[in-house]
Protein backbone atom coordinates (compact mmCIF):
# COMPACT_ATOMS: atom_id res chain seq x y z
CA UNK A 1 0.00 0.00 0.00
CA UNK A 2 0.89 3.65 -0.09
CA UNK A 3 3.06 4.96 2.72
CA UNK A 4 5.48 7.72 3.68
CA UNK A 5 8.62 7.38 5.76
CA UNK A 6 10.43 10.42 7.08
CA UNK A 7 13.46 10.82 9.27
CA UNK A 8 12.92 10.61 12.97
CA UNK A 9 13.38 13.69 15.07
CA UNK A 10 13.83 15.75 16.90
CA UNK A 11 16.26 17.80 14.84
CA UNK A 12 18.02 20.62 16.66
CA UNK A 13 19.93 23.23 14.66
CA UNK A 14 21.52 26.60 15.26
CA UNK A 15 20.15 29.62 13.46
CA UNK A 16 21.44 29.93 9.87
CA UNK A 17 22.32 26.22 9.66
CA UNK A 18 21.39 24.09 6.64
CA UNK A 19 18.34 21.87 7.01
CA UNK A 20 17.55 18.55 5.39
CA UNK A 21 14.62 16.37 6.39
CA UNK A 22 14.52 13.11 4.48
CA UNK A 23 11.29 11.68 3.11
CA UNK A 24 10.74 8.57 1.02
CA UNK A 25 7.50 7.12 -0.18
CA UNK A 26 5.92 3.92 -1.45
CA UNK A 27 3.07 4.28 -3.88
CA UNK A 28 1.49 2.91 -7.00
CA UNK A 29 1.65 5.30 -9.88
CA UNK A 30 2.87 8.86 -9.50
CA UNK A 31 1.22 10.55 -6.54
CA UNK A 32 1.39 14.24 -5.73
CA UNK A 33 3.78 14.94 -2.84
CA UNK A 34 3.51 17.54 -0.11
CA UNK A 35 5.26 19.04 2.88
CA UNK A 36 3.06 20.40 5.65
CA UNK A 37 4.16 22.37 8.71
CA UNK A 38 2.49 22.41 12.11
CA UNK A 39 3.40 25.19 14.52
CA UNK A 40 2.77 24.63 18.23
CA UNK A 41 -0.93 24.60 19.04
CA UNK A 42 -1.99 25.03 15.43
CA UNK A 43 -3.33 22.93 12.57
CA UNK A 44 -1.46 21.97 9.42
CA UNK A 45 -0.32 24.46 6.81
CA UNK A 46 0.73 23.49 3.32
CA UNK A 47 4.39 24.43 2.89
CA UNK A 48 5.03 23.21 -0.65
CA UNK A 49 4.02 20.57 -3.15
CA UNK A 50 5.07 18.81 -6.34
CA UNK A 51 2.74 16.98 -8.67
CA UNK A 52 5.08 15.14 -11.04
CA UNK A 53 8.57 13.73 -11.30
CA UNK A 54 11.42 16.27 -11.28
CA UNK A 55 9.10 19.07 -10.12
CA UNK A 56 10.60 21.30 -7.45
CA UNK A 57 8.26 22.78 -4.88
CA UNK A 58 9.43 25.87 -3.04
CA UNK A 59 8.11 28.33 -0.49
CA UNK A 60 9.57 30.60 2.22
CA UNK A 61 13.11 29.43 1.41
CA UNK A 62 12.20 25.73 1.67
CA UNK A 63 12.60 23.44 -1.33
CA UNK A 64 11.90 19.82 -2.20
CA UNK A 65 12.36 17.94 -5.48
CA UNK A 66 10.18 15.02 -6.55
CA UNK A 67 12.64 12.20 -7.32
CA UNK A 68 10.88 9.26 -8.94
CA UNK A 69 14.03 7.17 -9.30
CA UNK A 70 14.72 7.26 -5.56
CA UNK A 71 11.07 7.72 -4.49
CA UNK A 72 12.11 10.65 -2.38
CA UNK A 73 10.98 14.20 -1.59
CA UNK A 74 13.56 15.59 0.82
CA UNK A 75 12.93 19.00 2.39
CA UNK A 76 15.81 21.51 2.41
CA UNK A 77 16.44 25.04 3.56
CA UNK A 78 19.73 26.85 3.25
CA UNK A 79 19.52 28.96 6.40
CA UNK A 80 16.98 28.20 9.12
CA UNK A 81 15.53 30.74 11.52
CA UNK A 82 14.16 30.38 15.04
CA UNK A 83 10.70 30.97 13.58
CA UNK A 84 11.05 27.75 11.55
CA UNK A 85 10.76 25.69 14.74
CA UNK A 86 7.78 23.41 14.13
CA UNK A 87 6.83 19.86 13.18
CA UNK A 88 7.17 19.03 9.48
CA UNK A 89 5.10 16.35 7.77
CA UNK A 90 5.74 14.74 4.43
CA UNK A 91 2.61 13.47 2.71
CA UNK A 92 1.37 11.98 -0.51
CA UNK A 93 -2.05 12.06 -2.06
CA UNK A 94 -3.54 8.59 -2.02
CA UNK A 95 -5.32 7.02 -4.96
CA UNK A 96 -8.79 8.16 -5.94
CA UNK A 97 -10.08 4.59 -5.62
CA UNK A 98 -10.28 2.13 -2.75
CA UNK A 99 -11.90 4.49 -0.27
CA UNK A 100 -9.10 6.98 0.16
CA UNK A 101 -10.63 9.33 -2.39
CA UNK A 102 -7.36 11.10 -2.94
CA UNK A 103 -6.91 12.01 0.70
CA UNK A 104 -3.54 12.54 2.26
CA UNK A 105 -1.22 9.88 3.68
CA UNK A 106 1.24 11.39 6.13
CA UNK A 107 4.57 10.46 7.59
CA UNK A 108 5.02 10.57 11.36
CA UNK A 109 6.46 14.05 11.39
CA UNK A 110 9.85 15.52 12.25
CA UNK A 111 10.15 18.08 15.00
CA UNK A 112 12.61 20.88 14.25
CA UNK A 113 14.00 23.14 16.95
CA UNK A 114 16.17 26.08 15.91
CA UNK A 115 18.27 27.73 18.61
CA UNK A 116 19.43 31.36 18.42
CA UNK B 1 -12.91 34.90 3.32
CA UNK B 2 -12.90 32.89 6.54
CA UNK B 3 -10.78 29.78 6.92
CA UNK B 4 -11.68 26.40 8.33
CA UNK B 5 -12.90 26.58 11.91
CA UNK B 6 -13.44 23.80 14.43
CA UNK B 7 -15.19 23.56 17.78
CA UNK B 8 -14.62 22.96 20.54
CA UNK B 9 -10.90 23.58 20.93
CA UNK B 10 -10.48 21.08 23.75
CA UNK B 11 -12.71 18.36 25.14
CA UNK B 12 -12.44 15.86 27.97
CA UNK B 13 -14.62 12.75 28.03
CA UNK B 14 -14.66 9.42 29.83
CA UNK B 15 -14.57 5.95 28.34
CA UNK B 16 -17.87 4.81 26.89
CA UNK B 17 -19.20 8.31 26.31
CA UNK B 18 -20.11 9.81 22.96
CA UNK B 19 -18.65 12.99 21.45
CA UNK B 20 -19.52 15.33 18.57
CA UNK B 21 -16.91 17.56 16.96
CA UNK B 22 -17.80 20.34 14.54
CA UNK B 23 -16.17 21.87 11.49
CA UNK B 24 -17.06 24.83 9.32
CA UNK B 25 -15.53 24.63 5.89
CA UNK B 26 -13.85 27.46 4.07
CA UNK B 27 -16.13 29.60 1.94
CA UNK B 28 -16.76 27.99 -1.46
CA UNK B 29 -15.61 24.53 -0.38
CA UNK B 30 -18.01 21.58 -0.61
CA UNK B 31 -15.75 18.74 0.55
CA UNK B 32 -14.72 18.03 4.12
CA UNK B 33 -12.22 15.41 5.29
CA UNK B 34 -11.53 14.37 8.86
CA UNK B 35 -8.20 13.15 10.20
CA UNK B 36 -7.08 11.76 13.55
CA UNK B 37 -3.63 12.77 14.80
CA UNK B 38 -2.43 10.76 17.79
CA UNK B 39 0.34 12.26 19.90
CA UNK B 40 3.67 12.07 18.08
CA UNK B 41 2.11 10.67 14.91
CA UNK B 42 1.05 11.97 11.54
CA UNK B 43 -2.63 12.53 10.79
CA UNK B 44 -4.63 9.52 9.61
CA UNK B 45 -7.60 9.83 7.26
CA UNK B 46 -10.94 8.96 8.86
CA UNK B 47 -13.50 9.83 6.17
CA UNK B 48 -14.57 12.43 3.68
CA UNK B 49 -17.91 14.08 2.92
CA UNK B 50 -18.84 15.51 -0.45
CA UNK B 51 -22.21 17.11 -1.07
CA UNK B 52 -23.62 15.68 2.17
CA UNK B 53 -22.62 12.07 1.51
CA UNK B 54 -19.73 9.97 2.77
CA UNK B 55 -17.33 9.76 -0.12
CA UNK B 56 -14.43 7.68 1.15
CA UNK B 57 -13.31 6.16 4.43
CA UNK B 58 -10.06 5.13 6.03
CA UNK B 59 -9.44 2.23 8.39
CA UNK B 60 -11.70 3.35 11.25
CA UNK B 61 -14.53 1.39 12.90
CA UNK B 62 -18.21 2.23 12.40
CA UNK B 63 -18.43 3.96 15.79
CA UNK B 64 -16.75 6.86 13.95
CA UNK B 65 -19.49 8.50 11.93
CA UNK B 66 -20.17 11.85 10.38
CA UNK B 67 -22.56 14.25 8.77
CA UNK B 68 -22.35 17.07 6.31
CA UNK B 69 -24.98 19.79 6.19
CA UNK B 70 -26.36 21.80 3.25
CA UNK B 71 -23.99 24.66 4.11
CA UNK B 72 -21.12 22.10 3.87
CA UNK B 73 -20.24 22.26 7.54
CA UNK B 74 -19.62 18.86 9.08
CA UNK B 75 -19.73 16.86 12.29
CA UNK B 76 -17.64 13.94 13.45
CA UNK B 77 -19.31 11.66 15.98
CA UNK B 78 -17.53 9.04 18.00
CA UNK B 79 -19.52 6.54 20.07
CA UNK B 80 -18.33 4.30 22.88
CA UNK B 81 -15.13 6.28 23.39
CA UNK B 82 -11.93 4.37 24.11
CA UNK B 83 -8.72 5.62 25.66
CA UNK B 84 -6.96 5.30 22.28
CA UNK B 85 -9.39 7.81 20.80
CA UNK B 86 -7.45 10.54 22.61
CA UNK B 87 -5.99 12.63 19.79
CA UNK B 88 -6.11 15.87 17.85
CA UNK B 89 -8.95 15.71 15.32
CA UNK B 90 -8.34 17.77 12.22
CA UNK B 91 -10.87 18.86 9.68
CA UNK B 92 -9.84 19.86 6.16
CA UNK B 93 -11.98 21.43 3.46
CA UNK B 94 -11.38 21.54 -0.26
CA UNK B 95 -12.96 23.15 -3.23
CA UNK B 96 -15.52 22.19 -5.82
CA UNK B 97 -14.91 19.70 -8.57
CA UNK B 98 -13.10 16.38 -8.33
CA UNK B 99 -12.37 16.36 -4.62
CA UNK B 100 -9.27 14.25 -4.83
CA UNK B 101 -7.38 16.83 -6.82
CA UNK B 102 -8.02 19.96 -4.78
CA UNK B 103 -5.80 21.35 -2.07
CA UNK B 104 -7.05 20.70 1.44
CA UNK B 105 -7.10 23.54 3.96
CA UNK B 106 -6.86 22.45 7.57
CA UNK B 107 -8.53 23.81 10.66
CA UNK B 108 -6.74 24.21 14.00
CA UNK B 109 -8.12 20.94 15.35
CA UNK B 110 -10.01 19.72 18.40
CA UNK B 111 -7.96 18.12 21.16
CA UNK B 112 -9.96 15.20 22.61
CA UNK B 113 -8.84 13.56 25.84
CA UNK B 114 -10.53 10.34 26.96
CA UNK B 115 -10.07 9.39 30.61
Amino acid sequence: GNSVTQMEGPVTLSEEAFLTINCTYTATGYPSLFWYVQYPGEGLQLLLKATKADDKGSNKGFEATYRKETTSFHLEKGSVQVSDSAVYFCALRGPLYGGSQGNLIFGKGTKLSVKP
Amino acid sequence: ETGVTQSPTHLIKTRGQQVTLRCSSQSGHNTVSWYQQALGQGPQFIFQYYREEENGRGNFPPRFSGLQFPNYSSELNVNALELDDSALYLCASSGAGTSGHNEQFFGPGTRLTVL
Side-chain angles (χ1 to χ4, degrees):
Chain A
N2 297 323
S3 64
V4 173
T5 302
Q6 60 181 104
M7 64 185 283
E8 303 244 344
V11 174
T12 303
L13 296 173
S14 297
E15 208 165 22
E16 299 184 4
F18 184 84
L19 168 71
T20 299
I21 300 178
N22 291 336
C23 171
T24 57
Y25 67 90
T26 301
T28 52
Y30 305 103
S32 295
L33 302 173
F34 305 83
W35 277 99
Y36 280 83
V37 59
Q38 187 173 39
Y39 297 102
E42 298 184 14
L44 297 173
Q45 298 177 26
L46 178 63
L47 181 60
L48 53 84
K49 66 179 181 182
T51 58
K52 60 183 187 296
D54 299 325
D55 266 2
K56 177 185 284 189
S58 61
N59 186 26
K60 299 181 182 178
F62 290 89
E63 293 182 341
T65 301
Y66 189 142
R67 301 286 188 199
K68 181 168 69 73
E69 62 277 10
T70 54
T71 60
S72 64
F73 192 55
H74 304 322
L75 182 68
E76 296 182 336
K77 186 175 186 183
S79 176
V80 294
Q81 306 300 311
V82 172
S83 57
D84 294 326
S85 297
V87 180
Y88 292 81
F89 292 93
C90 185
L92 64 81
R93 194 191 301 282
L96 289 173
Y97 53 86
S100 81
Q101 295 306 106
N103 278 276
L104 297 166
I105 298 167
F106 289 88
K108 292 187 176 181
T110 302
K111 183 175 181 180
L112 170 67
S113 296
V114 180
K115 307 298 184 185
Chain B
E1 179 181 282
T2 56
V4 180
T5 60
Q6 293 186 243
S7 63
T9 305
H10 296 88
L11 203 53
I12 299 174
K13 292 285 188 178
T14 57
R15 269 188 308 174
Q17 284 189 311
Q18 178 266 342
V19 68
T20 297
L21 310 181
R22 295 177 175 85
C23 170
S24 291
S25 59
Q26 187 164 312
S27 176
H29 287 180
N30 62 6
T31 302
V32 173
S33 299
W34 286 91
Y35 293 82
Q36 180 196 64
Q37 185 180 8
L39 195 63
Q41 303 294 315
Q44 287 198 304
F45 172 61
I46 303 174
F47 47 55
Q48 179 185 89
Y49 277 83
Y50 173 62
R51 293 185 176 178
E52 302 179 54
E53 292 192 2
E54 188 178 293
N55 184 44
R57 189 177 185 95
N59 189 27
F60 281 81
R63 59 189 185 84
F64 285 77
S65 63
L67 283 174
Q68 189 178 32
F69 300 98
N71 66 354
Y72 305 125
S73 65
S74 177
E75 288 183 354
L76 164 65
N77 300 290
V78 187
N79 293 321
L81 282 167
E82 301 177 0
L83 296 179
D84 285 349
D85 296 333
S86 295
L88 180 68
Y89 288 85
L90 295 166
C91 165
S93 74
S94 53
T98 305
S99 60
H101 291 290
N102 292 314
E103 179 181 341
Q104 294 185 345
F105 293 82
F106 284 83
T110 293
R111 173 74 62 190
L112 171 65
T113 302
V114 181
L115 302 176

